[in-house]
């Protein structure tokens, strides 16, 4: 993956998954964080979902009682939290939109942060 910034491997519901945070494409910072699943039979990763990002730089699996996936975006300052749910219909579109196909992840919330990249350097004594 070109311009990938971070990768997070995790297991969920018996599925072996990898999320890759992408910072930019050759043309824009509006990119997608990619979610792959290990296909045992084919012995390769298969892309299962793409999540909206704007200068993505970190992705974290949060193993709470209801597991979440956090995608942190530097360019826009808006990070997104996704829940694992194959029954919802939100912003995160599946790669293939076959009849009856369900999504793996759905957007749950957005976190907006100030446009300050290094807060420590902006604090004066």
């Amino acid at each position: 993956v070109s311009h990938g910034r971070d990768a997070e491997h995790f297991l969920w519901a018996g599925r072996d998954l990898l999320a890759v945070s992408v910072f930019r494409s050759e043309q824009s910072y509006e990119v997608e964080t990619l979610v792959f699943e290990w296909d045992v039979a084919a012995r390769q990763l298969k892309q299962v979902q793409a999540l909206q990002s704007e200068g993505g730089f970190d992705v974290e699996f949060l193993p709470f009682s209801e597991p979440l996936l956090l995608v942190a975006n530097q360019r826009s300052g808006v990070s997104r939290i996704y829940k694992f749910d194959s029954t919802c219909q939100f912003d995160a579109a599946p790669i293939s939109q076959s009849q009856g196909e369900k999504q793996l992840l759905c957007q749950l919330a957005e976190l907006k942060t100030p446009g300050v990249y290094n807060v420590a350097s902006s604090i004066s004594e």
Side-chain angles (χ1 to χ4, degrees), residues 22-42:
V22 179
F23 186 64
R24 63 181 307 253
S25 69
E26 298 302 323
Q27 296 82 26
S28 172
Y29 289 97
E30 292 182 18
V31 291
E32 295 173 327
T33 291
L34 306 173
V35 181
F36 299 92
E37 182 172 11
W38 180 250
D39 184 330
V40 176

Side-chain angles (χ1 to χ4, degrees), residues 57 70-73 76-81 109-113:
F57 70 93
L70 171 68
V71 177
N73 296 293
S76 67
V78 175
S79 297
R80 293 183 177 86
I81 298 174
E110 288 186 348
L111 302 172
K112 297 183 181 181
T113 54

Side-chain angles (χ1 to χ4, degrees), residues 31-33 50-54 71 73 80 82 91-92 107:
V31 291
E32 295 173 327
T33 291
L51 308 171
Q52 177 186 357
S53 290
E54 303 87 19
V71 177
N73 296 293
R80 293 183 177 86
Y82 294 90
D91 295 338
Q107 185 174 320

Side-chain angles (χ1 to χ4, degrees), residues 8 10-12 51 59-71 80-85 105-109 111:
E8 180 84 357
F10 52 97
L11 298 172
W12 177 75
L51 308 171
V59 60
E60 295 292 330
F61 176 70
L62 307 173
F64 301 134
S65 58
E66 180 183 347
L68 302 171
L69 189 72
L70 171 68
V71 177
R80 293 183 177 86
I81 298 174
Y82 294 90
K83 66 179 180 174
F84 291 83
D85 187 346
L105 291 156
C106 300
Q107 185 174 320
L108 180 64
L111 302 172

Side-chain angles (χ1 to χ4, degrees), residues 83-101:
K83 66 179 180 174
F84 291 83
D85 187 346
S86 62
T87 63
C88 58
Q89 300 293 325
F90 288 100
D91 295 338
I95 297 303
S96 168
Q97 301 216 337
S98 302
Q99 186 77 17
E101 186 168 346

